[in-house]
Amino acid sequence: GHVLALNDARRFGSVDLVETAKLDSWPAFAALGPEPLGPDLTPALLARAFAKRSAPVKTLLLDQRIVCGLGNIYVCEALHRAHISPQRAAGAVKRRELALLVPAIKDVLSESIAAGGSTIRDYAQPNGELGYFAANWRVYGREGEACPCGGTVTRIAQGGRHLHNVDNRQAAEKTRVVAGLAAHPPVARRVAGD
């Protein structure tokens, strides 16, 4: 026989039995945004979702209707890599910045999967192994530590969650690339237009 186990210490999950042909219309899936590692997550999709929105970009990235599967740690890490302040109004993020953010999201998630996830307190893989991506965090859980860019990692509360960023690296008003960021340079991608 087969065994299905759900170990959900944080109580975010559930198990439902749904016919494969009906998955796309199942209410819990129908409202979800695209998978972050799939081809549907694009700068254009985020530009449409963020247009004229004054909510912070981090808050909207955590909204599962915009992109499904992104959690607090990975959003903080991706925004840091893309040089975008988590507090910045989503509607103010430019298309060229979104062109840095999308690959940063995909890179952070791919690196985390390769490392077995991020173990904090009670997380373990189904085989009992811990996840080791926490060793690669650049900002999450590192408040007060120096960043190689010359700033200090800060932590503040936003929308009931903590955000971690480096103020001089992730300027709230205008995201910019600061000279001398060799320790973790931005993803170099060019986009036509913007």
Side-chain angles (χ1 to χ4, degrees):
H2 298 284
V3 175
L4 173 66
L6 173 65
N7 181 359
D8 186 22
R10 296 178 74 192
R11 299 184 181 151
F12 289 148
S14 68
V15 175
D16 296 296
L17 186 60
V18 180
E19 292 178 41
T20 304
K22 296 180 181 177
L23 272 178
D24 288 340
S25 62
W26 182 56
F29 279 6
L32 293 176
E35 291 281 341
L37 292 175
D40 294 334
L41 177 59
T42 64
L45 176 125
L46 291 181
R48 285 190 302 274
F50 293 173
K52 300 179 182 173
R53 302 287 300 269
S54 60
V57 63
K58 178 178 177 270
T59 301
L60 292 187
L61 286 172
L62 291 172
D63 184 336
Q64 302 299 293
R65 296 168 298 182
I66 294 174
V67 181
C68 73
L70 293 181
N72 195 42
I73 293 170
Y74 303 116
V75 169
C76 287
E77 292 294 317
L79 287 168
H80 176 72
R81 290 184 185 194
H83 302 276
I84 299 170
S85 170
Q87 298 171 288
R88 190 150 165 224
V93 179
K94 294 177 175 49
R95 179 83 178 238
R96 69 177 177 269
E97 295 169 309
L98 296 174
L100 296 175
L101 179 59
V102 169
I105 289 169
K106 292 174 186 262
D107 290 347
V108 165
L109 291 175
S110 295
E111 291 167 23
S112 180
I113 290 167
S118 296
T119 295
I120 335 175
R121 294 182 302 273
D122 53 12
Y123 171 79
Q125 298 175 57
N127 65 1
E129 289 286 319
L130 300 178
Y132 295 101
F133 186 64
N136 298 318
W137 292 344
R138 296 178 183 178
V139 290
Y140 190 85
R142 296 188 179 277
E143 56 274 1
E145 293 182 24
C147 176
C149 70
T152 301
V153 178
T154 60
R155 179 181 98 160
I156 64 171
Q158 178 188 66
R161 307 298 302 267
H162 286 111
L163 66 83
H164 298 78
N165 73 319
V166 179
D167 286 335
N168 75 330
R169 178 181 169 90
Q170 297 170 259
E173 291 303 314
K174 182 178 180 191
T175 302
R176 66 201 183 287
V177 176
V178 179
L181 293 179
H184 25 230
V187 178
R189 303 250 186 348
R190 294 184 72 68
V191 175
D194 200 46

